[in-house]
Amino acid sequence: MIEIRGLEKYFGALQVLKGIDLDVEKGEVLSVIGASGSGKSTLLYCINGLEPIQKGSVLVDGSDVHAKDTDINKLRQKLGMVFQQWNSFPHLTALENVALAPKIVKGKSKAEAHDIAEKQLKHVGLADKLSVYPNALSGGQQQRLAIARALAMEPTYMLFDEATSALDPELVGEVLDTMRLLAEEGMTMICVTHEMGFARDVSDRVAYFHQGVMDEIGPPEQIFGDAKSENTRKFLANVR
Amino acid sequence: MFDYNFHWRPVLKSLPDLLEAGLLTLQVAALSMVIGIVIGLVLALIRMHMRGPLYWLATSWVELARNTPALFQLFFFGFGLGAFGLHLSPFIIVLCGLSFNCAGYLAENFRGGFQAVPDTQLRAARSLGMNAWQAYTRIVIPQVFRIVYHPLTNQLVWAVLMSSLGMLVGFRELSGETQFFASRTFRIFEYFAVTAVIYYVIVKFILAISRLLAMRLFRY
């Protein structure tokens, strides 16, 4: 379970998260929507400790992400992350991209790591691209590679930071399909997304962020059908 | 037209000595590159991540190495330190001078290389649970190395050619040796012509090896 309490985050003088309280249960799919600059991506970076926070706390299965005595590298193994700009490692083949972390972080043997990598690449539909370097893959394939890379660490939670925003429109579908597949398999997911269709169909809950505040959270039927907050309604009217 | 008679025989007779001196040139250049790479990497990291006295030391090093004649840098280690009673052997003088110079140039190459690898690569690596050391050695530095690889080769070529300044501090590398024979036999043109060819061959050899190595190292 991820428990966020009174989370506040500043970039210099600018406050980007203004006291967020949020629980994410195991097995849940939460979509986070909102305008650019509303703090939704920053929330993900605060959850896996890539950004320090100024106030509040983030607990992952009871461990405080931002406490000094937490082994953050160990905790991050539970938190797979997929970035907007997929960030595949250009100097490694698809197989090596996925196998590297299991090998050096988890101490798996080369053969074990390669087995895991092959399995995960098959999982995301890249079984025929094992020895290919990322520059020979399309954006959608690279993003699926990034998903496989995160899955290879056998995370409990997956964080998606606008995983489809940087893709050409015709490539969005294949990545969303992979995300749907994970959701069906019961993965706990927090998806920052601009794909309203995905948020409505796949999520258990949808959170709307507005200027650093979580303005509204509820099941997709509520958010998309009968939003309580004026801001949510305005936002959704604009994106539709 | 002109009444100069070429005499190649003395040059041919001392060719083995010249080739041996060529090897010495290659050695001192390669060694100063190795030292230059290590120091250059440290200087680049200091300049990127630190403030205070170390930053100023590293910056002064880079500024002096890049903006003063390499010959003066050699003279500093030769006659400069000599004036203070510290007498180094010609080999050490050239090694120090070239290393000082290479480190300065390479520091800037490395800095550019580090800046060319996006921060997001480091973030992606850390998000997988890698510690900072693993993320740098497995993800960032291999990419930096590729970016600086060709500038590195250029610097090695430059070091080979620059080592010829060694003859001015009494070092009998290729140029020093050539000068020695030339002044003994007065066949100055012949000696330096042959030596130019030897330099050319050394440089071409380095470039060929570098290209082959690149094909093996960089498959992407």
Side-chain angles (χ1 to χ4, degrees):
Chain A
M1 182 174 178
I2 296 176
E3 299 160 86
I4 301 168
R5 292 285 173 273
L7 172 57
E8 292 186 29
K9 166 74 190 170
Y10 291 81
F11 285 118
L14 180 72
Q15 188 173 14
V16 285
L17 290 175
K18 302 172 180 167
I20 306 296
D21 292 289
L22 174 66
D23 286 347
V24 182
E25 299 283 346
K26 273 201 181 130
E28 183 180 9
V29 177
L30 173 72
S31 287
V32 181
I33 61 172
S36 298
S38 58
K40 50 198 198 306
S41 291
T42 306
L43 176 75
L44 293 189
Y45 288 112
C46 292
I47 291 176
N48 74 358
L50 283 175
E51 284 290 347
I53 64 174
Q54 278 69 46
K55 214 172 173 186
S57 66
V58 179
L59 300 185
V60 174
D61 295 342
S63 302
D64 187 342
V65 173
H66 297 276
K68 279 209 171 68
D69 56 351
T70 301
D71 183 350
I72 187 69
N73 297 319
K74 196 153 177 91
L75 197 55
R76 280 192 186 128
Q77 296 175 31
K78 289 186 177 188
L79 296 157
M81 175 123 187
V82 175
F83 299 84
Q84 184 176 1
Q85 296 286 352
W86 43 85
N87 301 337
S88 35
F89 303 136
H91 60 302
L92 303 175
T93 63
L95 187 76
E96 291 163 347
N97 257 279
V98 182
L100 181 64
K103 203 158 53 189
I104 67 173
V105 177
K106 282 194 159 177
K108 304 263 189 208
S109 73
K110 196 175 166 185
E112 276 178 303
H114 280 199
D115 282 349
I116 294 169
E118 253 186 86
K119 196 182 100 194
Q120 291 304 343
L121 284 167
K122 200 181 276 179
H123 195 179
V124 299
L126 292 174
D128 56 338
K129 303 286 183 194
L130 302 183
S131 56
V132 171
Y133 285 92
N135 64 4
L137 296 174
S138 71
Q141 289 170 331
Q142 290 200 52
Q143 191 59 296
R144 284 186 283 145
L145 170 61
I147 294 173
R149 186 173 69 184
L151 289 175
M153 294 303 285
E154 295 169 322
T156 319
Y157 309 92
M158 284 288 284
L159 313 175
F160 290 88
D161 181 20
E162 301 190 26
T164 59
S165 322
L167 294 174
D168 292 338
E170 75 273 19
L171 301 175
V172 168
E174 60 187 84
V175 173
L176 287 182
D177 286 345
T178 307
M179 291 169 67
R180 267 177 232 270
L181 177 71
L182 288 184
E184 280 164 23
E185 289 168 358
M187 175 63 77
T188 312
M189 296 163 58
I190 303 180
C191 310
V192 169
T193 185
H194 290 294
E195 295 292 330
M196 295 306 148
F198 176 86
R200 183 174 21 214
D201 300 343
V202 181
S203 337
D204 299 304
R205 281 191 303 166
V206 177
Y208 172 70
F209 272 59
H210 182 75
Q211 295 175 358
V213 176
M214 190 168 72
D215 221 34
E216 184 167 1
I217 184 166
E221 306 81 54
Q222 174 195 324
I223 301 291
F224 292 102
D226 181 25
K228 296 197 169 47
S229 145
E230 180 65 24
N231 292 326
T232 313
R233 280 202 296 274
K234 261 196 211 149
F235 173 74
L236 287 172
N238 282 332
V239 294
R240 268 184 197 142
Chain B
M1 204 172 69
F2 69 110
D3 56 0
Y4 186 85
N5 291 313
F6 290 102
H7 290 284
W8 297 100
R9 190 179 296 273
V11 188
L12 289 178
K13 262 168 69 182
S14 42
L15 197 55
D17 289 327
L18 290 182
L19 291 176
E20 209 171 303
L23 213 56
L24 191 59
T25 284
L26 195 55
Q27 272 173 7
V28 77
L31 206 54
S32 55
M33 265 303 277
V34 172
I35 299 172
I37 287 174
V38 174
I39 298 177
L41 200 53
V42 173
L43 293 179
L45 289 171
I46 290 176
R47 267 159 66 79
M48 285 187 304
H49 296 297
M50 292 175 98
R51 288 287 166 263
L54 274 177
Y55 173 84
W56 288 112
L57 181 78
T59 302
S60 311
W61 186 317
V62 171
E63 289 288 317
L64 281 174
R66 287 162 53 94
N67 302 313
T68 62
L71 179 62
F72 292 14
Q73 296 164 25
L74 281 191
F75 279 180
F76 170 79
F77 287 100
F79 311 126
L81 294 182
F84 292 99
L86 184 61
H87 298 286
L88 305 172
S89 75
F91 179 83
I92 298 295
I93 292 170
V94 174
L95 185 64
C96 289
L98 286 188
S99 301
F100 176 81
N101 188 275
C102 286
Y105 275 93
L106 290 174
E108 283 301 89
N109 281 333
F110 283 129
R111 201 161 67 106
F114 275 106
Q115 282 167 352
V117 177
D119 275 352
T120 49
Q121 287 282 312
L122 190 61
R123 288 197 143 194
R126 296 303 305 271
S127 81
L128 290 165
M130 291 185 210
N131 59 37
W133 173 255
Q134 290 169 329
Y136 264 97
T137 54
R138 296 308 196 101
I139 304 302
V140 178
I141 289 178
Q143 293 182 54
V144 173
F145 181 62
R146 181 183 177 159
I147 296 166
V148 303
Y149 183 80
H150 291 295
L152 230 61
T153 307
N154 284 343
Q155 189 67 37
L156 177 57
V157 168
W158 188 231
V160 166
L161 300 180
M162 214 159 46
S163 68
S164 63
L165 296 172
M167 78 176 183
L168 298 170
V169 291
F171 186 38
R172 293 268 291 269
E173 41 65 64
L174 188 48
S175 297
E177 193 76 348
T178 306
Q179 169 79 354
F180 171 76
F181 282 117
S183 53
R184 247 186 14 181
T185 60
F186 298 106
R187 310 316 308 178
I188 295 171
F189 176 83
E190 289 89 330
Y191 268 103
F192 278 97
V194 168
T195 296
V197 172
I198 298 176
Y199 273 115
Y200 185 86
V201 171
I202 292 176
V203 169
K204 280 291 165 185
F205 172 73
I206 291 172
L207 292 175
I209 296 285
S210 158
R211 212 159 292 158
L212 282 174
L213 208 59
M215 282 199 285
R216 265 200 67 85
L217 286 173
F218 310 125
R219 304 264 174 87
Y220 64 101

